[in-house]
Amino acid sequence: MRKFNIRKVLDGLTASSSSASQQQQQQHPPGNREPEIQETLQSEHFQLCKTVRHGFPYQPSALAFDPVQKILAVGTQTGALRLFGRPGVECYCQHDNGAAVIQLQFLINEGALVSALADDTLHLWNLRQKRPAILHSLKFCRERVTFCHLPFQSKWLYVGTERGNIHIVNVESFTLSGYVIMWNKAIELSSKSHPGPVVHISDNPMDEGKLLIGFESGTVVLWDLKSKKADYRYTYDEAIHSVAWHHEGKQFICSHSDGTLTIWNVRSPAKPVQTITPHGKQLKDGKKPEPCKPILKVEFKTTRSGEPFIILSGGLSYDTVGRRPCLTVMHGKSTAVLEMDYSIVDFLTLCETPYPNDFQEPYAVVVLLEKDLVLIDLAQNGYPIFENPYPLSIHESPVTCCEYFADCPVDLIPALYSVGARQKRQGYSKKEWPINGGNWGLGAQSYPEIIITGHADGSVKFWDASAITLQVLYKLKTSKVFEKSRNKDDRPNTDIVDEDPYAIQIISWCPESRMLCIAGVSAHVIIYRFSKQEVITEVIPMLEVRLLYEINDVETPEGEQPPPLPTPVGGSNPQPIPPQSHPSTSSSSSDGLRDNVPCLKVKNSPLKQSPGYQTELIIQLVWVGGEPPQQITSLAVNSSYGLVVFGNCNGIAMVDYLQKAVLLNLGTIELYGSNDPYRREPRSPRKSRQPSGAGLCDISEGTVVPEDRCKSPTSDVKDNSFSRSRSSSVTSIDKESREAISALHFCETFTRKTDSSPSPCLWVGTTLGTVLVIALNLPPGGEQRLLQPVIVSPSGTILRLKGAILRMAFLDTTGCLIPPAYEPWREHNVPEEKDEKEKLKKRRPVSVSPSSSQEISENQYAVICSEKQAKVISLPTQNCAYKQNITETSFVLRGDIVALSNSICLACFCANGHIMTFSLPSLRPLLDVYYLPLTNMRIARTFCFTNNGQALYLVSPTEIQRLTYSQETCENLQEMLGELFTPVETPEAPNRGFFKGLFGGGAQSLDREELFGESSSGKASRSLAQHIPGPGGIEGVKGAASGVVGELARARLALDERGQKLGDLEERTAAMLSSAESFSKHAHEIMLKYKDKKWYQF
């Protein structure tokens, strides 16, 4: 029995959005007439947490690699940290203050990482747990940190500063040593100028007691740590960007701001042994080559069998205007210049050994670009790149919309993978991807998940998102059916956008039938069928639709306050795009106004369509009397009915894609018939321009001003943007206001109050909060479906809510979701003969209708969610059974009816950052969590919920953030996440050789503890840096205790292992002793047995 709720009664009395008849119904709740539905979902089924982040790290700034663990780390300008192991092992962490990461240093094979940030803090991350955490932080108070260096197998971190000093940090305790190298001690006393910030620190590979310090001005100092003085000083009159050692420790190389490299002998500080300008033009008369751009980084790597590699970024000559950024690989006499698509942030050479004093044997270079990560194979001729297995190409073209489907049919992912496998590029390195550390988590979730992303260039990508991984399956290029203009001059003057005319705005997909429908920014709709066969389409089917209706005058019904038309320019509301100017309305029809022309031109030549998604029909809205078509705001496709429907702020159009015919083309006002509450009349077209949809993707960060958050932004594009909201402060309606179609839903339900059985229909929701029902009369299946027309008629049924309608769904008497009818997928490109058998056993469309035994009076529930409220309406009576005001001060950006724990709920994401869920059908609040501190247009356009408690949004232009609102998934998450750290033996140190050991030619070790420890160097000044314990928690402490860092932990581990081995040895000895005893006993028995026998008696 439904509880009597006084609040709902009051809501019913005051809700301004209800028509009089509905107000009456809400004042007198149906009470006993409502069947009680047992709802199983409770608040404890819900919990919100982030799961994984996919995509390329946005605005990368630092790079590091652990050569033993084979883990790559990338830091960003927003303080994010992304860690990559083998494909499928990824991790995202965030520094709380959001300062840019300037440098990363792995504690090699220790399961730890040091990050240096632009706010002069150092952090120690524990990577021995699935979600890495900070163990210690150190904030420098008086100096700016510029460079860090941690020698292999050392616990002392050298930190260079802007003042030119070097401090030393103990990474075990994260405290400063009293040992400091002051800049004025390091440089020559005769030098009058400051040497600039420290840009490089490294120890001599063969002598840990010698530290090479590079100052920005061009001075390099070799500092003796024991004697605390400079051994040699090397000066060059060009600024230094980086320094690298030869592994024998006798030479080092510097890169400079004039595009030169200088190679120095350690013992010859007077001048460099060699000066190279890799990209400089050599002048004939022996003059210095022309200066080039700075060489930002150089690496010097040796091989046993051949010449060393010198690898550098930058250094191109200034006259190479428009040349792309390059990585240069110099090997012996050959120089390879590898062009990159984006500017180089950093690069690292991957080598076989972690020891700096051994032959390096480089095998690959990992190059971090502004928008990509490239791995170059150094072992193969031509230096091919490795095929990147990480999902880093989400932003290949900017994402303009996305949809998320969990619990798809199981055959879908293999089908998409098989057609996508043919699209793979060739020419990659034949080797396995070398970054292969970590281990996969245990996939507790076994259901298929698919993410579809729509892009600015008109491409649509399908991704396998099962079990918190992401892998691209298939890419569809929707623009290939249109003629492309070669240059700007011959572009059609019918364009309504200046850039990205093919950008995807809405995706409608039926996973069961595999029908796909997209709406693009140029007011075009394309319908696709999935096929495994290649076909050649002689003529691409196309329809043009003239959809332009206007209103003459508006009268507001009592108590209802519709919104003003959002101002296209200015105002405080956030704008997704700056308004673009349209081409002038010159020549196209006899009166000089463009008329009846679509925005894009479809190719008229035969089109070869590869296996995958193939164009079934293109629908374009046309210009009308100089007025451009308005962008499409909603879209729906139904494979069982063979219909597609779309709407914009002018009206609605329905197309039969089987017969290629327009069935309905109505202005929104005409849908109401005589029931229009605003009493509007059509009038002639306006002469003003709409803002174009160009730059859908170029949305700046943080567009929303906090005080504007309860206001609704300007665009009406459903699912792709904020939706228009009714502000309570509005007292009059703008005469230019348009009512856009904001939601469409095909279903089999009761169209009118008098209906005794459900029938196919279309429910239409508008931005003014109206729901209208259109009845569909479909001909019988088979051949008749292609011959007889579909009859479409408005039913007269009108329901009203507050705020624009976002989503509709239908429940049966038991409260279960009724999915829209669909036609199961079948291959439609098979030859006719085979098809005959198919026609005989023609599959009936799968439609889930209520059983005839159900009571006719209360057969179904319609669930309708708007920007402001949700209602559950009983059908066919159209009584409002339940109502929930979701938000008063904000508005809902996305609402989805989703399955969870064998039940269903309504999930909403509000513009004020709240995520809420409600039970169905009673709309009880189950979850309300403040999740996002600030929403921007990108998040608003891409946020979506799906089944089983999954949701996602585009957190940056290059990354997808996935989250869950399911308690069960939150609990299983720890198991599902991959392990970054795996116990691996550190490779053996290089053999010094007999003579080197005898004559002292090998690597010199140094007791750093003795030098930098408190006993010899004293304590550092307290005001210099502040130690902050990290939030690593118990798990972190355990990680630290088990040897996250330092020789002490290693020694302890070695002792344990030794003890274990001794224990094993003792056990083995005991076992051998007892076995020897039993053998002796046995031998004695045999001897007694045969003692008195002669040899011939045996």
Side-chain angles (χ1 to χ4, degrees):
M1 210 56 65
R2 192 168 72 84
K3 289 180 183 170
F4 192 88
N5 189 328
I6 191 71
R7 186 172 155 236
K8 285 183 181 168
V9 176
L10 290 170
D11 278 353
L13 285 165
T14 55
S16 59
S17 62
S18 303
S19 62
S21 64
Q22 284 171 314
Q23 282 176 349
Q24 247 177 353
Q25 288 161 15
Q26 282 174 301
Q27 287 164 32
H28 308 288
N32 298 340
R33 290 178 297 154
E34 285 303 328
E36 181 65 32
I37 291 174
Q38 199 61 43
E39 291 178 359
T40 55
L41 284 179
Q42 301 299 329
S43 295
E44 55 265 25
H45 289 105
F46 294 88
Q47 185 186 338
L48 197 71
C49 71
K50 291 178 182 177
T51 52
V52 281
R53 185 173 287 202
H54 303 296
F56 182 76
Y58 184 57
Q59 294 179 326
S61 55
L63 183 67
F65 182 68
D66 184 325
V68 180
Q69 285 287 322
K70 301 275 170 69
I71 295 283
L72 187 78
V74 176
T76 75
Q77 290 177 32
T78 53
L81 187 59
R82 289 283 293 281
L83 296 142
F84 298 92
R86 66 181 57 205
V89 176
E90 277 184 48
C91 182
Y92 157 76
C93 319
Q94 178 68 46
H95 293 92
D96 290 340
N97 54 10
V101 178
I102 56 171
Q103 205 180 343
L104 295 169
Q105 289 263 305
F106 273 102
L107 278 68
I108 294 170
N109 205 24
E110 296 280 12
L113 175 79
V114 172
S115 56
L117 270 57
D119 66 349
D120 312 306
T121 53
L122 302 177
H123 303 276
L124 177 68
W125 289 86
N126 174 18
L127 309 182
R128 293 191 174 216
Q129 55 196 67
K130 288 190 170 184
R131 290 202 173 224
I134 293 172
L135 288 172
H136 300 283
S137 299
L138 192 66
K139 167 85 175 155
F140 280 79
C141 306
R142 298 201 306 233
E143 297 196 51
R144 308 296 316 262
V145 174
T146 55
F147 192 88
C148 298
H149 170 63
L150 180 69
F152 179 45
Q153 294 185 326
S154 163
K155 69 171 185 182
W156 299 97
L157 174 76
Y158 301 109
V159 181
T161 68
E162 199 171 46
R163 286 188 186 174
N165 303 326
I166 291 176
H167 300 280
I168 297 163
V169 176
N170 180 337
V171 284
E172 276 186 349
S173 59
F174 239 56
T175 52
L176 275 177
S177 160
Y179 191 114
V180 183
I181 303 170
M182 303 300 286
W183 68 270
N184 53 357
K185 298 261 179 73
I187 64 164
E188 287 183 64
L189 295 173
S190 58
S191 174
K192 292 175 183 173
S193 58
H194 187 277
V198 174
V199 293
H200 178 83
I201 309 168
S202 60
D203 44 343
N204 185 321
M206 285 295 177
D207 188 350
E208 293 173 351
K210 310 287 188 199
L211 201 64
L212 195 70
I213 306 161
F215 295 98
E216 193 180 64
S217 64
T219 301
V220 178
V221 175
L222 188 69
W223 180 265
D224 187 308
L225 290 164
K226 282 182 184 170
S227 64
K228 300 186 183 180
K229 63 179 177 42
D231 279 359
Y232 299 105
R233 296 181 180 92
Y234 315 84
T235 50
Y236 191 72
D237 52 10
E238 288 293 338
I240 288 177
H241 284 277
S242 76
V243 184
W245 279 102
H246 185 283
H247 87 271
E248 288 175 349
K250 293 173 184 172
Q251 282 190 336
F252 61 88
I253 188 168
C254 300
S255 76
H256 299 278
S257 56
D258 64 344
T260 57
L261 297 171
T262 52
I263 298 174
W264 301 79
N265 273 347
V266 170
R267 295 172 186 273
S268 312
K271 64 171 191 168
V273 190
Q274 198 181 354
T275 303
I276 313 164
T277 311
H279 296 284
K281 288 178 183 167
Q282 296 297 326
L283 302 172
K284 287 176 184 174
D285 47 4
K287 288 180 185 171
K288 275 179 76 177
E290 289 176 9
C292 293
K293 293 174 185 173
I295 294 175
L296 300 175
K297 185 172 182 179
V298 64
E299 291 208 337
F300 199 1
K301 301 296 179 187
T302 53
T303 59
R304 274 178 217 284
S305 54
E307 298 278 343
F309 282 87
I310 295 175
I311 301 165
L312 56 117
S313 64
L316 293 178
S317 64
Y318 280 102
D319 60 2
T320 51
V321 180
R323 182 141 180 211
R324 295 195 292 183
C326 293
L327 186 84
T328 306
V329 180
M330 299 166 73
H331 185 220
K333 290 181 179 173
S334 78
T335 299
V337 180
L338 309 174
E339 286 198 343
M340 301 291 157
D341 290 338
Y342 307 101
S343 54
I344 297 170
V345 175
D346 198 358
F347 73 88
L348 286 173
T349 311
L350 308 190
C351 300
E352 294 292 351
T353 178
Y355 292 94
N357 59 352
D358 194 6
F359 283 99
Q360 299 298 290
E361 303 296 350
Y363 58 87
V365 183
V366 58
V367 190
L368 179 63
L369 306 176
E370 205 173 38
K371 293 184 180 176
D372 202 1
L373 183 76
V374 175
L375 203 57
I376 297 158
D377 185 350
L378 288 180
Q380 264 181 266
N381 286 339
Y383 305 131
I385 63 167
F386 288 86
E387 184 175 7
N388 197 322
Y390 305 133
L392 301 183
S393 62
I394 290 168
H395 64 290
E396 186 179 15
S397 167
V399 176
T400 50
C401 67
C402 61
E403 292 295 337
Y404 190 6
F405 301 85
D407 220 1
C408 304
V410 289
D411 56 348
L412 254 181
I413 288 175
L416 288 164
Y417 182 82
S418 68
V419 294
R422 304 168 196 231
Q423 301 176 329
K424 291 273 170 83
R425 274 178 55 194
Q426 302 301 311
Y428 289 112
S429 166
K430 309 242 177 335
K431 289 190 190 155
E432 288 285 308
W433 182 255
I435 302 162
N436 55 11
N439 278 322
W440 292 307
L442 302 167
Q445 293 177 349
S446 55
Y447 51 86
E449 296 174 71
I450 290 175
I451 294 169
I452 307 179
T453 51
H455 299 264
D457 64 354
S459 60
V460 175
K461 285 184 186 173
F462 291 77
W463 304 81
D464 175 4
S466 313
I468 69 169
T469 60
L470 193 70
Q471 182 187 3
V472 72
L473 291 169
Y474 170 71
K475 179 179 172 182
L476 167 69
K477 292 179 180 172
T478 66
S479 61
K480 68 180 181 187
V481 295
F482 299 110
E483 298 277 7
K484 293 200 177 54
S485 47
R486 302 257 166 79
N487 54 47
K488 288 194 173 177
D489 300 332
D490 66 350
R491 274 170 64 172
N493 59 0
T494 53
D495 276 7
I496 57 169
V497 292
D498 290 344
E499 288 174 22
D500 304 324
Y502 313 111
I504 309 291
Q505 279 188 305
I506 312 174
I507 295 166
S508 177
W509 188 52
C510 172
E512 289 78 13
S513 66
R514 304 185 189 172
M515 288 300 293
L516 172 71
C517 198
I518 64 99
V521 76
S522 296
H524 62 283
V525 170
I526 310 178
I527 302 150
Y528 291 93
R529 276 188 196 273
F530 185 84
S531 171
K532 293 180 179 178
Q533 312 286 324
E534 184 177 288
V535 292
I536 291 173
T537 309
E538 293 299 326
V539 179
I540 303 165
M542 194 188 95
L543 287 174
E544 290 180 359
V545 177
R546 197 178 163 92
L547 187 63
L548 190 92
Y549 291 88
E550 277 296 346
I551 50 169
N552 198 13
D553 204 359
V554 180
E555 291 179 34
T556 310
E558 282 300 308
E560 187 63 35
Q561 293 156 354
L565 183 73
T567 15
V569 189
S572 62
N573 281 352
Q575 285 270 109
I577 41 152
Q580 308 280 335
S581 59
H582 285 286
S584 65
T585 55
S586 60
S587 72
S588 194
S589 64
S590 53
D591 59 357
L593 291 176
R594 258 177 246 140
D595 197 56
N596 265 359
V597 282
C599 303
L600 302 171
K601 192 177 175 203
V602 176
K603 284 180 181 172
N604 49 18
S605 54
L607 180 72
K608 179 181 156 189
Q609 304 212 64
S610 305
Y613 275 103
Q614 298 171 350
T615 308
E616 172 83 359
L617 177 65
I618 300 168
I619 307 160
Q620 291 201 82
L621 295 183
V622 294
W623 286 67
V624 179
E627 178 78 4
Q630 298 292 312
Q631 288 178 6
I632 290 156
T633 53
S634 56
L635 174 72
V637 65
N638 187 289
S639 58
S640 174
Y641 308 156
L643 303 178
V644 65
V645 63
F646 56 93
N648 62 11
C649 60
N650 286 332
I652 186 170
M654 192 188 294
V655 169
D656 180 340
Y657 65 76
L658 298 175
Q659 293 187 24
K660 315 283 188 282
V662 179
L663 301 175
L664 183 74
N665 181 356
L666 284 180
T668 319
I669 311 152
E670 290 172 292
L671 277 175
Y672 286 91
S674 58
N675 299 328
D676 182 10
Y678 298 101
R679 300 191 281 285
R680 294 163 289 191
E681 293 169 22
R683 72 165 173 82
S684 58
R686 293 189 294 160
K687 294 289 180 276
S688 61
R689 290 272 160 270
Q690 65 163 31
S692 97
L696 237 182
C697 44
D698 307 325
I699 284 159
S700 59
E701 291 294 298
T703 355
V704 177
V705 187
E707 56 266 27
D708 291 337
R709 293 178 57 177
C710 57
K711 300 175 190 169
S712 224
T714 59
S715 169
D716 273 340
V717 182
K718 190 208 81 171
D719 294 347
N720 300 335
S721 164
F722 288 94
S723 181
R724 194 162 57 184
S725 147
R726 332 170 145 258
S727 162
S728 55
S729 61
V730 179
T731 50
S732 65
I733 185 163
D734 190 305
K735 289 189 178 180
E736 291 281 38
S737 172
R738 301 181 180 199
E739 184 174 12
I741 307 295
S742 57
L744 295 162
H745 190 88
F746 283 107
C747 53
E748 207 150 308
T749 188
F750 301 90
T751 326
R752 301 174 183 83
K753 287 184 186 181
T754 52
D755 284 5
S756 58
S757 62
S759 58
C761 55
L762 171 73
W763 285 51
V764 181
T766 75
T767 48
L768 294 189
T770 307
V771 176
L772 303 133
V773 184
I774 294 171
L776 308 173
N777 193 341
L778 298 160
E783 284 187 14
Q784 290 300 306
R785 174 65 186 83
L786 300 173
L787 300 171
Q788 294 182 30
V790 177
I791 297 161
V792 179
S793 55
S795 67
T797 296
I798 296 180
L799 306 166
R800 295 194 53 75
L801 274 77
K802 202 161 48 166
I805 307 297
L806 298 178
R807 188 78 66 226
M808 295 174 281
F810 293 84
L811 316 181
D812 64 17
T813 310
T814 63
C816 294
L817 194 66
I818 306 172
Y822 63 86
E823 173 92 21
W825 178 79
R826 65 181 181 86
E827 181 58 73
H828 62 283
N829 284 336
V830 290
E832 279 300 316
E833 297 79 47
K834 291 182 188 172
D835 215 10
E836 287 304 315
K837 291 178 191 170
E838 289 286 283
K839 279 183 183 170
L840 290 172
K841 48 175 187 181
K842 176 76 180 159
R843 303 182 199 182
R844 293 282 309 135
V846 179
S847 111
V848 189
S849 301
S851 64
S852 55
S853 63
Q854 288 173 347
E855 286 181 39
I856 286 168
S857 58
E858 297 290 352
N859 255 335
Q860 289 184 11
Y861 293 99
V863 181
I864 305 167
C865 175
S866 80
E867 286 181 329
K868 293 285 187 183
Q869 60 182 192
K871 282 187 181 180
V872 174
I873 313 268
S874 296
L875 297 176
T877 61
Q878 295 177 17
N879 291 334
C880 178
Y882 303 98
K883 185 176 119 178
Q884 178 67 247
N885 286 329
I886 299 168
T887 174
E888 292 295 337
T889 56
S890 184
F891 53 96
V892 178
L893 288 166
R894 176 81 183 212
D896 285 294
I897 290 98
V898 290
L900 177 71
S901 306
N902 299 319
S903 189
I904 51 165
C905 64
L906 167 66
C908 298
F909 171 54
C910 274
N912 61 11
H914 282 252
I915 287 176
M916 295 182 268
T917 62
F918 302 93
S919 71
L920 287 175
S922 70
L923 295 172
R924 274 182 302 116
L926 296 170
L927 175 79
D928 184 352
V929 177
Y930 178 57
Y931 173 69
L932 282 170
L934 184 78
T935 55
N936 59 26
M937 294 301 289
R938 185 190 342 93
I939 294 169
R941 204 179 57 238
T942 55
F943 199 104
C944 44
F945 296 97
T946 186
N947 297 328
N948 299 341
Q950 306 290 345
L952 67 78
Y953 60 95
L954 218 69
V955 66
S956 75
T958 62
E959 295 164 289
I960 285 174
Q961 177 67 56
R962 285 164 73 177
L963 54 144
T964 182
Y965 48 95
S966 152
Q967 167 71 34
E968 188 186 0
T969 308
C970 287
E971 284 174 1
N972 292 333
L973 187 60
Q974 196 66 14
E975 280 179 29
M976 293 163 69
L977 293 171
E979 297 265 7
L980 280 170
F981 179 79
T982 47
V984 181
E985 286 260 333
T986 302
E988 278 192 25
N991 193 349
R992 290 173 69 182
F994 175 73
F995 288 105
K996 279 192 175 177
L998 196 64
F999 300 112
Q1004 302 291 310
S1005 62
L1006 168 80
D1007 188 345
R1008 295 188 179 97
E1009 187 70 47
E1010 190 185 312
L1011 263 182
F1012 307 143
E1014 206 174 296
S1015 56
S1016 58
S1017 62
K1019 283 188 177 180
S1021 162
R1022 281 191 176 181
S1023 61
L1024 194 60
Q1026 175 195 357
H1027 176 259
I1028 306 155
I1034 293 183
E1035 203 178 346
V1037 174
K1038 278 185 195 162
S1042 66
V1044 171
V1045 289
E1047 277 115 6
L1048 283 173
R1050 228 182 346 267
R1052 217 172 295 128
L1053 208 64
L1055 275 173
D1056 287 351
E1057 283 172 8
R1058 192 171 167 221
Q1060 204 175 342
K1061 282 174 184 167
L1062 284 170
D1064 289 355
L1065 189 64
E1066 196 173 272
E1067 280 170 26
R1068 253 179 282 152
T1069 310
M1072 282 168 75
L1073 202 65
S1074 74
S1075 135
E1077 277 173 12
S1078 71
F1079 177 79
S1080 155
K1081 194 175 162 188
H1082 192 56
H1084 188 66
E1085 282 169 11
I1086 291 172
M1087 188 267 288
L1088 290 173
K1089 187 177 175 185
Y1090 297 109
K1091 188 180 174 188
D1092 300 318
K1093 292 194 179 181
K1094 303 287 182 200
W1095 64 269
Y1096 51 84
Q1097 291 176 311
F1098 284 113

